[in-house]
């Protein structure tokens, strides 16, 4: 019986670790602050 409890705890730990890893392993902090390049005003005059 105790083996089932240990296995359940290990499975829960793996699940929490995978969720944590996918939440914080994304973009680096400097990539969040990037702004799109400013629009060229000449493009509006051509249309």
């Amino acid at each position: 019986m105790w083996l089932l409890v240990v296995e359940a705890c290990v499975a829960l730990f793996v699940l929490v670790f995978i969720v944590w890893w996918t939440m914080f392993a994304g973009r680096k902090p400097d990539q969040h602050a990037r702004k799109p390049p400013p629009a060229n005003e000449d493009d509006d005059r051509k249309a």
Side-chain angles (χ1 to χ4, degrees):
M1 183 68 183
W2 63 271
L3 188 59
L4 293 175
V5 174
V6 170
E7 186 178 356
C9 289
V10 169
L12 180 63
F13 173 77
V14 169
L15 175 67
V16 170
F17 179 75
I18 290 172
V19 171
W20 177 81
W21 183 267
T22 57
M23 283 177 59
F24 297 111
R27 296 180 182 172
K28 303 295 181 214
D30 61 334
Q31 292 178 344
H32 288 291
R34 288 189 180 176
K35 295 180 182 177
N40 192 352
E41 293 178 8
D42 294 335
D43 293 341
D44 293 334
R45 294 178 190 161
K46 292 179 183 177

